[in-house]
Amino acid sequence: MKVKNKRQRFREIVSVLLKYGFKEGINSPEQMRKALEELGPTFIKIGQILSTRPDILPDKFTREFEKLQDEVSPVSIEIIEKIIIDELGGPLSHHFQFFSEKPIASASMAQVHKATLKSGASVVVKIRRPNIESIMLNDLALLSKVTRFIKFIPQGSILNPQEMFAELYHAVKEELDFINEAENIKTFSALNKDVRFLKIPKLYPEYVTKELLVMEYIDGFKISDKYNLLNAGYDLNDIANKLVHNFLKQVFNDGIFHGDPHPGNIYISKNKIAYLDLGLVGKLSPQLKTKFNQLLFAVVTGDIEAITHTILRMGVKKGPVNRMVLQSDIEDIYNYYVSASMYDIDIPELVDRLFAVCRAHKISVPKEITLILKSFLLMEGNLATLAPEITIMDIATPYVREEILKSKDVKGEFLKSAESIYRFTKATMKIPEKMLSVLSKFSSGTIQVHMDHTNLDNNVNKITKAADRIVIGLILAALVIGSSEVISSHTGPTFYDISILGLVGYILAALLALFLVISIMRSGRL
């Protein structure tokens, strides 16, 4: 795949985004999808990644991005052989008895060929497209520059461009490295080795590199191929029950689950459910798994305050959050569904409403939780195809209740509650006895009231000083007024025709005023 000149590619990106109205920010999901399709593989992958994040994008965008088709023209067999030589050493004939020149799948990041190893084992060979890593990372870097003057982030998103590109960069880097997918296959195989009805493709580690992945070929029917499944004698209700039970086990027991369980990634082969394409896997840390279980427990018990508290602990606040308004919004959703049977709840509608509340309050939910809910919706779609008379809540509700009981230390919590009740009862029984003692002392006139004061002396001193200053002020005012009367009436002996008594009064008033000012200044309250 040819790598375009950066300047040419930059102009191309800007031109297409402007063409579809991105200059002032886009509010049309369809226009944005068309722009992504026209810009090619990198942008299609961006749309597919964003379609799994209804917590940060409005529902109308995520649903539109689900329509993005990741199909491109295949790379020639000559280029494929060159990649295999570079990765494994030696020509195709050195490693394979047979290698199909025509790929069975061709996507933006990789294409898949059917082959047969020298041992006779039927395998699929997943090969990364040439130069795709540099192309996609260059596109992301150019897009981050474009967003300085073009609003690429859809209206209603709660992430800023820097956060969005950081998430996209991490997701693309992880998906481009096939060693990650190989590790996912190993982990899934280990966690499900005792599940008899499940099949995980065998991995061939000697043929695994960053750009190449070889695993067992699984022959069978897609889980959506209802007609052929029935003709082959399969019990669709049994498949549906096993499929959902295993998914719930992945989430609640293993903490590692398939992140993209659409019909193309689940086959029925030789009476077993086979998971394909483990490139996208959700992983719950022990802490996040605990919080998720706490949220479910709060939902089951109807504890709105606990639901609010857990969402705030689990999510990332992107701005100030009014806890009371958030709790009120959550309570509205809960009250809407509480009258309905758990089995009748419309899961997509409930999920959409919860994410809408989180977006409205600028709360970003961890991508692992959104991936669980997204996978849950895909599983519901699989169930609707296989066994429409069974809802996912028919299976999930008893399972979740059982897991909640397992996660709770029922005996420990009962003993703790019993101890609290005992202490409360013991203290309560002493109240009548103490009340009788108090009443007896009242009636006999022998009750005494003991009072302690804190820092009262200090407050009294402050009041005394204030009163002294008021008295001095009153005396000063009297001297000024009296001296003025004496001088104006020319009473008593005079000095230069000024009454000596009045002059002495003015001098005393001046001295008192000076004393009062000095006193106030020393107290630091001037």
Side-chain angles (χ1 to χ4, degrees):
M1 188 179 292
K2 186 180 177 182
V3 182
K4 289 186 180 180
N5 176 282
K6 285 186 178 182
R7 187 173 295 177
Q8 289 178 335
R9 182 58 172 162
F10 183 83
R11 284 200 296 265
E12 182 183 359
I13 293 171
V14 172
S15 174
V16 171
L17 294 180
L18 290 175
K19 172 183 170 183
Y20 286 96
F22 280 70
K23 179 66 176 175
E24 300 301 328
I26 192 163
N27 196 37
S28 168
E30 185 181 3
Q31 288 292 93
M32 189 166 187
R33 174 182 59 79
K34 288 179 178 178
L36 296 177
E37 286 176 336
E38 188 168 329
L39 285 169
T42 303
F43 290 81
I44 290 173
K45 180 55 65 177
I46 287 173
Q48 290 174 335
I49 292 169
L50 292 178
S51 73
T52 67
R53 299 302 308 273
D55 59 312
I56 62 175
L57 283 183
D59 177 61
K60 60 183 181 179
F61 281 95
T62 57
R63 291 196 186 281
E64 187 67 28
F65 291 168
E66 287 173 356
K67 299 175 184 177
L68 288 166
Q69 298 298 311
D70 190 16
E71 295 179 3
V72 295
S73 300
V75 175
S76 68
I77 188 63
E78 290 78 18
I79 294 175
I80 291 299
E81 183 166 13
K82 183 179 183 306
I83 293 172
I84 290 174
I85 291 171
D86 290 342
E87 293 297 309
L88 302 178
L92 288 175
S93 58
H94 183 73
H95 303 284
F96 304 100
Q97 283 186 21
F98 164 79
F99 192 96
S100 173
E101 293 189 3
K102 185 179 179 181
I104 56 176
S106 178
S108 60
M109 297 177 75
Q111 65 185 49
V112 180
H113 291 257
K114 188 178 178 184
T116 305
L117 294 176
K118 288 290 188 180
S119 62
S122 291
V123 296
V124 290
V125 183
K126 189 174 181 179
I127 304 151
R128 197 171 77 180
R129 298 177 76 89
N131 302 321
I132 190 63
E133 183 172 17
S134 59
I135 290 170
M136 296 188 83
L137 297 183
N138 282 339
D139 276 355
L140 283 174
L142 292 173
L143 185 58
S144 68
K145 293 179 181 178
V146 169
T147 53
R148 294 172 188 172
F149 55 92
I150 290 181
K151 296 180 180 179
F152 175 77
I153 306 301
Q155 292 178 11
S157 171
I158 66 171
L159 288 189
N160 61 43
Q162 290 75 23
E163 291 173 319
M164 183 76 81
F165 290 125
E167 284 213 15
L168 291 171
Y169 184 86
H170 175 75
V172 168
K173 283 285 286 184
E174 195 169 70
E175 199 166 339
L176 281 168
D177 190 348
F178 289 164
I179 293 175
N180 288 325
E181 185 172 348
E183 289 301 317
N184 292 338
I185 293 171
K186 289 179 187 176
T187 303
F188 253 75
S189 296
L191 290 171
N192 292 283
K193 65 179 185 297
D194 297 326
V195 182
R196 293 182 179 180
F197 62 79
L198 205 68
K199 174 70 175 176
I200 307 296
K202 179 183 176 182
L203 187 69
Y204 292 87
E206 65 271 30
Y207 298 114
V208 174
T209 71
K210 190 176 179 180
E211 299 189 22
L212 189 75
L213 182 68
V214 177
M215 56 188 148
E216 178 185 3
Y217 173 75
I218 302 290
D219 191 18
F221 304 110
K222 283 185 180 181
I223 203 165
S224 57
D225 192 355
K226 191 173 179 177
Y227 177 79
N228 282 321
L229 287 171
L230 286 171
N231 283 344
Y234 284 106
D235 182 340
L236 301 188
N237 284 1
D238 181 58
I239 293 173
N241 273 282
K242 287 176 178 176
L243 181 67
V244 176
H245 268 97
N246 182 256
F247 176 70
L248 294 171
K249 169 191 171 292
Q250 292 172 29
V251 173
F252 291 102
N253 296 83
D254 303 338
I256 297 176
F257 58 94
H258 198 299
D260 192 22
H262 65 75
N265 283 339
I266 306 174
Y267 272 58
I268 305 300
S269 175
K270 300 176 183 177
N271 294 308
K272 291 188 176 185
I273 299 171
Y275 278 111
L276 310 181
D277 193 359
L278 287 160
L280 180 59
V281 166
K283 298 176 183 178
L284 294 177
S285 67
Q287 295 82 2
L288 191 56
K289 187 178 172 184
T290 299
K291 290 175 185 175
F292 186 61
N293 285 337
Q294 288 171 347
L295 178 62
L296 289 175
F297 185 73
V299 170
V300 170
T301 56
D303 190 338
I304 306 299
E305 188 174 347
I307 294 173
T308 307
H309 178 69
T310 308
I311 285 175
L312 286 171
R313 285 184 63 219
M314 203 187 308
V316 178
K317 294 185 280 292
K318 299 296 180 180
V321 176
N322 187 322
R323 186 186 178 109
M324 296 302 294
V325 177
L326 173 63
Q327 185 165 320
S328 175
D329 289 345
I330 291 171
E331 189 169 9
D332 287 344
I333 294 175
Y334 185 84
N335 290 339
Y336 180 81
Y337 288 101
V338 73
S339 59
S341 166
M342 283 290 286
Y343 304 97
D344 297 329
I345 290 177
D346 185 340
I347 297 298
E349 182 186 21
L350 174 60
V351 170
D352 288 344
R353 291 189 67 178
L354 282 172
F355 282 140
V357 166
C358 288
R359 284 197 306 272
H361 290 273
K362 305 296 182 185
I363 299 172
S364 174
V365 180
K367 62 179 181 296
E368 293 83 4
I369 299 300
T370 64
L371 197 56
I372 288 176
L373 298 174
K374 194 74 175 177
S375 299
F376 211 83
L377 298 183
L378 287 171
M379 279 295 177
E380 186 184 46
N382 293 332
L383 213 59
T385 301
L386 281 171
E389 67 278 10
I390 300 176
T391 70
I392 199 164
M393 296 306 292
D394 291 334
I395 305 167
T397 300
Y399 191 98
V400 169
R401 283 176 179 162
E402 185 180 344
E403 287 304 312
I404 287 170
L405 286 175
K406 284 180 183 177
S407 67
K408 293 286 178 183
D409 182 4
V410 178
K411 183 179 177 181
E413 291 194 6
F414 174 77
L415 292 174
K416 189 176 179 180
S417 300
E419 184 181 359
S420 298
I421 293 169
Y422 170 72
R423 288 178 179 173
F424 175 76
T425 305
K426 189 176 178 182
T428 304
M429 291 178 69
K430 290 181 180 179
I431 291 175
E433 181 184 340
K434 292 180 179 179
M435 286 295 294
L436 286 173
S437 175
V438 171
L439 290 172
S440 176
K441 288 181 180 179
F442 260 118
S443 61
S444 64
T446 59
I447 192 165
Q448 295 180 348
V449 178
H450 179 73
M451 294 180 64
D452 288 325
H453 61 78
T454 305
N455 296 326
L456 187 59
D457 291 339
N458 188 37
N459 291 329
V460 169
N461 288 337
K462 289 179 179 178
I463 293 170
T464 302
K465 286 180 180 180
D468 290 344
R469 289 170 183 168
I470 291 170
V471 171
I472 292 171
L474 290 172
I475 293 171
L476 192 152
L479 280 171
V480 172
I481 294 169
S483 298
S484 299
E485 287 293 329
V486 169
I487 289 173
S488 64
S489 64
H490 301 286
T491 305
T494 61
F495 178 75
Y496 288 103
D497 203 27
I498 298 173
S499 173
I500 294 174
L501 289 175
L503 190 59
V504 170
Y506 275 137
I507 293 169
L508 288 173
L511 291 172
L512 281 173
L514 182 63
F515 171 78
L516 187 60
V517 171
I518 292 171
S519 174
I520 294 172
M521 289 179 69
R522 283 182 175 176
S523 69
R525 297 183 179 275
L526 185 61

